[in-house]
Amino acid sequence: SQEAKDLLRTWDFSGGFSSNDMSIRTPYFPIPIRMRESDITFTSNLLNLTKAHMRLGQSDFQLSGAIEGIRRALMYNGKLTAKMTLDADSLDFNELIQAAVAGSEYITKSVSEKDSISGIVLEESNAITVAEDSTALGIFVIPRNLDVEFNTRIRNGKFSDINIQNARGRIILREQAVQIPRLTLNSDSGSTTITRVYKAPNPQGVHLGLELGVRQIVLKELIEALPVIVEMAPMLTSFE
């Protein structure tokens, strides 16, 4: 907003806070957010997370690392960079993606629609939910100015209908794409190494790339969980 730009142009500020338990509600990410043991310092341009134990909906994880370029991003839509470590006991990708899509749609709403949505989300007596249909996520455009890298460890996760255990690797948001290079994971469909690219430069189109390194897998269960694989490689339906 213009008010935020004026504040950043006029003032430099710094500080920090620690939290044992704090709840957050926002229409920009409309699922329950709870910060548990957290230790954070900040300036007008830098956010440093020594530790941040978060619970977002069904996901429970710890974050550490630094986010730089906040002033540049807010004032001039400049690059926002971050290098983070993500250690997750549980991560529900379906719910997180739905919340991100709902937040991006909220930005485009009229003032009256925003007021109505905000009133529902910010009222503490209301339960916050997002649609459960993970196959109807729509196109989520990655902001052009993001350059973010996560080193991840996921003990239990869910993506589409796949249950994931003990995944390790990197997740990179860069050049309006989500890149997952050589993510090693075990699931109830078997053991695989996945390299995946999702790129959506605008709401009219999306580019997907997927590479699977298979060690031991039940192909039928994988296809049922991720039918997009058949569209990319129809011959897989010939195998068990």
Side-chain angles (χ1 to χ4, degrees):
S1 68
Q2 187 59 47
E3 291 82 0
K5 291 180 180 179
D6 291 342
L7 181 64
L8 287 169
R9 188 177 292 111
T10 307
W11 296 94
D12 279 320
F13 53 86
S14 62
F17 69 92
S18 298
S19 170
N20 288 322
D21 197 359
M22 179 173 67
S23 295
I24 301 171
R25 286 173 172 247
T26 171
Y28 293 98
F29 204 80
I31 58 176
I33 301 172
R34 170 156 278 174
M35 291 184 66
R36 294 179 175 169
E37 301 87 358
S38 301
D39 188 3
I40 299 171
T41 58
F42 59 86
T43 68
S44 57
N45 198 53
L46 173 69
L47 180 68
N48 188 63
L49 290 78
T50 303
K51 65 175 179 179
H53 184 180
M54 309 283 293
R55 186 170 182 89
L56 276 60
Q58 299 301 312
S59 301
D60 192 331
F61 57 88
Q62 295 190 50
L63 274 176
S64 61
I67 303 172
E68 299 184 68
I70 297 172
R71 175 191 290 270
R72 181 174 60 234
L74 292 176
M75 292 187 64
Y76 311 112
N77 199 32
K79 183 173 290 187
L80 185 71
T81 63
K83 286 189 178 293
M84 311 292 292
T85 297
L86 171 66
D87 190 348
D89 285 327
S90 58
L91 209 61
D92 188 334
F93 287 97
N94 299 333
E95 184 181 45
L96 295 176
I97 293 170
Q98 282 286 4
V101 170
S104 66
E105 291 175 349
Y106 171 80
I107 296 173
T108 66
K109 301 292 186 182
S110 66
V111 173
S112 60
E113 289 174 317
K114 284 183 176 179
D115 288 343
S116 176
I117 295 170
S118 295
I120 295 171
V121 172
L122 299 179
E123 174 54 54
E124 292 187 3
S125 62
N126 291 332
I128 304 176
T129 59
V130 293
E132 295 182 358
D133 183 5
S134 60
T135 64
L137 298 176
I139 296 176
F140 177 53
V141 177
I142 309 300
R144 185 185 301 274
N145 63 332
L146 285 187
D147 188 351
V148 180
E149 182 172 330
F150 294 95
N151 285 313
T152 64
R153 178 184 179 187
I154 304 169
R155 294 175 181 82
N156 295 282
K158 188 172 184 65
F159 179 76
S160 185
D161 291 327
I162 294 180
N163 294 311
I164 300 168
Q165 296 91 38
N166 302 318
R168 292 177 179 268
R170 291 185 298 155
I171 300 175
I172 302 168
L173 283 69
R174 182 176 294 148
E175 297 178 352
Q176 290 192 282
V178 180
Q179 307 167 46
I180 306 176
R182 297 189 61 79
L183 179 71
T184 300
L185 60 87
N186 299 302
S187 75
D188 48 9
S189 298
S191 299
T192 61
T193 299
I194 292 179
T195 295
R196 184 164 187 172
V197 177
Y198 169 98
K199 186 175 179 67
N202 57 65
Q204 283 70 50
V206 61
H207 306 282
L208 293 173
L210 179 67
E211 178 182 305
L212 289 175
V214 179
R215 291 193 300 272
Q216 181 180 1
I217 197 163
V218 181
L219 196 55
K220 181 180 179 181
E221 292 182 8
L222 181 65
I223 291 172
E224 290 175 352
L226 285 176
V228 69
I229 292 176
V230 177
E231 298 177 17
M232 300 172 69
M235 68 182 67
L236 291 178
T237 56
S238 303
F239 301 93
E240 290 294 332

